[in-house]
Amino acid sequence: MHRKHLQEIPSSSGNVSTSFTWDWDSSKTSEFLSGMGVSVLKNDKLGNENMPQDLLLPCPPQKRQRVKEKEKDFIIVRRPRLLREAESGVSWEAIPDELILAIFAYLPLSDLLKASLVCKRWHCLSFDESLWQTLDLAGRNLPPGVIGQLLPAGVIVFRCPRSCIWNPLFKTNKLLRVQHMDLSNCTVSVADLESILCLCERLQNLSLEGLVLSDKIIKSIAKNFDLMRLNLCGCSGFSAGALESMLSSCFMLEELNLSWCDFTATHVRTAVNHITSKVTQLNLSGYRQNLQIQDVKTLVERCPFLVHLDLSDSVLLKPECFQYFHQLHSLQHLCLSRCYQISPPALVELGGIPTLKTLQVFGIVTDTSLQLLKETLPNMKINCSYFTSIGRPTVGSKRNHEIWGIRCRLTLRDSGGL
């Protein structure tokens, strides 16, 4: 067989243009192949190439690992991946997104988060907006970045009371879809709370009970023009001017809880003068000497459709304010607990309000006078409830995962954090 010389082999590097000629000495072939452990083939008489007989020199047998007598010999065979998929007849790549989403819809939160780690496709599908409409993280420790990753996934209902919230770390300034949010009694800094609420403009129900707020937070709330229920019980840190701006903007409010806030007389007067007339349930309890009879008059004139009114712990109120309650033709529930200038006999006058169903007067009447009052007003339930439900998202047991009547599907069942 004739062999051609290899000439002008170009370099693979673009920066080298060297060419060379490789001349091979056939007499050295035997020596070269023997050095590699390959025997040399000889041509037959006809000049044709020989058939391969002993291409490789004999190699020493490989040592076998000792196997225990009790163990049997076995062979592990791994079939090619494509072959295995072809034999099974099912390929994940062939399953449409809609079917995988339908399966993911049955997964609890912990399993859904695990599924997001399988591959890029599952990660994309596991954070589809259709799966994250309701989320319950009550009583959890939420490390930095958790809120910033979960809320933009399309959460509409977010229940997160009594949780420890660290920096949300939002990756975008896109507005959130959240409409119902409960952050009551959370451990969260003012700055982190501001970063959450500045992205919320679709809220219909909001509870921030027990939190320290700021004027920036109140102004962010004011941008939610469809807000119907607001619970700011026990809040502090904002001015009367910010409160006025919020109440003037949120003209759709139906339930408002401003009880026990860190209010001055100016705050109380601002609230009374700017509450929308659409409010049907209002809690202004806890203002002791800052709520006066004149404020009750103004309040009744502005909010004629009140159904539930709580003015408890207002020590300046007297029976003279009862005349204004008579002007509320839809009033069903009235709370005057610990209004100490109102005597038990004066309460009989409230029996003249035909729509009134319940009356809470804890701290005013003794057990004896309470019994007499119940006999005098047989059609009215007196002191039947210790706590008010105005604006509050959850009433009853803490195990109730509903907020404002909406049940959250995604929730962590164990007691650990994320």
Side-chain angles (χ1 to χ4, degrees):
M1 186 177 84
H2 301 286
R3 300 181 182 274
K4 294 183 179 181
H5 296 297
L6 191 62
Q7 298 179 345
E8 297 187 356
I9 301 179
S11 170
S12 60
S13 173
N15 296 328
V16 180
S17 59
T18 304
S19 63
F20 62 90
T21 303
W22 187 9
D23 293 327
W24 179 255
D25 188 356
S26 59
S27 64
K28 297 181 180 180
T29 303
S30 177
E31 180 182 352
F32 177 73
L33 294 178
S34 298
M36 295 177 60
V38 181
S39 61
V40 181
L41 298 177
K42 298 180 180 180
N43 293 336
D44 56 12
K45 294 181 180 180
L46 298 176
N48 296 327
E49 294 183 353
N50 290 322
M51 296 298 293
Q53 296 177 355
D54 241 346
L55 295 180
L56 296 177
L57 293 176
C59 297
Q62 297 181 356
K63 294 183 179 180
R64 296 184 179 180
Q65 296 181 354
R66 295 184 178 180
V67 183
K68 297 180 180 180
E69 295 180 358
K70 296 182 179 180
E71 296 182 358
K72 296 182 179 180
D73 294 338
F74 63 91
I75 299 176
I76 299 177
V77 179
R78 177 174 292 178
R79 290 177 293 176
R81 182 177 179 182
L82 295 178
L83 181 60
R84 293 199 305 269
E85 291 183 352
E87 290 179 357
S88 65
V90 178
S91 172
W92 281 107
E93 287 74 10
I95 299 179
D97 292 349
E98 293 78 8
L99 182 55
I100 297 180
L101 286 174
I103 297 173
F104 282 1
Y106 289 94
L107 296 180
L109 178 57
S110 56
D111 291 342
L112 185 61
L113 293 176
K114 292 176 183 177
S116 69
L117 303 177
V118 171
C119 62
K120 290 183 178 180
R121 184 190 181 201
W122 280 29
H123 183 274
C124 233
L125 292 174
S126 61
F127 282 95
D128 188 84
E129 291 183 350
S130 63
L131 302 175
W132 291 88
Q133 294 187 5
T134 61
L135 178 61
D136 184 354
L137 297 178
R140 306 292 171 178
N141 180 30
L142 307 177
V146 171
I147 295 294
Q149 182 181 9
L150 297 185
L151 288 188
V155 176
I156 296 178
V157 182
F158 184 43
R159 181 175 183 264
C160 192
R162 307 179 305 281
S163 294
C164 184
I165 301 177
W166 298 90
N167 194 339
L169 297 176
F170 288 103
K171 298 179 181 179
T172 175
N173 292 327
K174 183 179 179 181
L175 294 178
L176 302 175
R177 297 181 61 196
V178 181
Q179 298 179 13
H180 316 276
M181 183 161 61
D182 179 15
L183 300 179
S184 302
N185 301 303
C186 281
T187 301
V188 57
S189 69
V190 173
D192 292 342
L193 189 58
E194 288 176 352
S195 66
I196 296 174
L197 288 174
C198 71
L199 299 179
C200 299
E201 294 187 5
R202 302 181 182 181
L203 290 172
Q204 298 179 12
N205 301 307
L206 175 63
S207 179
L208 302 176
E209 183 169 340
L211 302 185
V212 177
L213 310 181
S214 65
D215 284 358
K216 184 177 179 180
I217 292 175
I218 296 298
K219 291 178 181 178
S220 295
I221 297 175
K223 296 179 182 179
N224 294 270
F225 304 114
D226 294 329
L227 192 62
M228 294 186 294
R229 297 182 182 91
L230 177 61
N231 178 22
L232 298 182
C233 173
C235 292
S236 61
F238 54 96
S239 64
L243 177 63
E244 177 181 346
S245 175
M246 182 193 70
L247 293 177
S248 300
S249 300
C250 300
F251 51 86
M252 297 295 292
L253 276 173
E254 297 179 2
E255 292 186 35
L256 178 60
N257 190 335
L258 293 177
S259 62
W260 294 100
C261 293
D262 187 18
F263 279 2
T264 63
T266 304
H267 283 84
V268 174
R269 200 174 306 112
T270 300
V272 168
N273 290 325
H274 293 88
I275 292 177
T276 174
S277 60
K278 293 186 178 181
V279 167
T280 59
Q281 300 187 47
L282 176 63
N283 190 343
L284 280 178
S285 61
Y287 295 114
R288 301 188 179 278
Q289 298 181 0
N290 288 328
L291 184 68
Q292 303 180 8
I293 296 179
Q294 181 60 37
D295 296 326
V296 176
K297 178 182 178 183
T298 304
L299 185 63
V300 170
E301 291 174 352
R302 286 192 59 84
C303 308
F305 306 109
L306 283 171
V307 175
H308 192 166
L309 179 61
D310 190 342
L311 300 177
S312 301
D313 298 281
S314 301
V315 296
L316 296 182
L317 296 187
K318 299 179 180 180
E320 284 80 358
C321 66
F322 289 179
Q323 58 181 317
Y324 305 118
F325 298 149
H326 281 272
Q327 298 175 17
L328 297 173
H329 302 294
S330 301
L331 186 63
Q332 298 182 15
H333 312 283
L334 180 62
C335 304
L336 298 173
S337 298
R338 294 170 295 280
C339 295
Y340 296 114
Q341 295 199 47
I342 299 177
S343 61
L347 295 173
V348 177
E349 181 183 345
L350 296 175
I353 303 177
T355 57
L356 194 59
K357 297 180 179 179
T358 65
L359 177 64
Q360 316 303 327
V361 286
F362 292 99
I364 296 179
V365 296
T366 63
D367 293 341
T368 304
S369 57
L370 176 60
Q371 186 61 34
L372 292 174
L373 188 61
K374 288 182 178 180
E375 293 175 358
T376 306
L377 304 174
N379 297 325
M380 191 181 302
K381 295 182 179 180
I382 303 174
N383 288 0
C384 58
S385 178
Y386 291 98
F387 304 103
T388 179
S389 60
I390 297 176
R392 286 188 166 137
T394 304
V395 180
S397 173
K398 291 183 179 180
R399 296 181 179 180
N400 183 4
H401 297 292
E402 293 185 356
I403 57 172
W404 294 290
I406 305 172
R407 184 171 182 82
C408 295
R409 187 187 73 84
L410 287 179
T411 179
L412 289 176
R413 297 177 181 177
D414 55 24
S415 57
L418 287 178

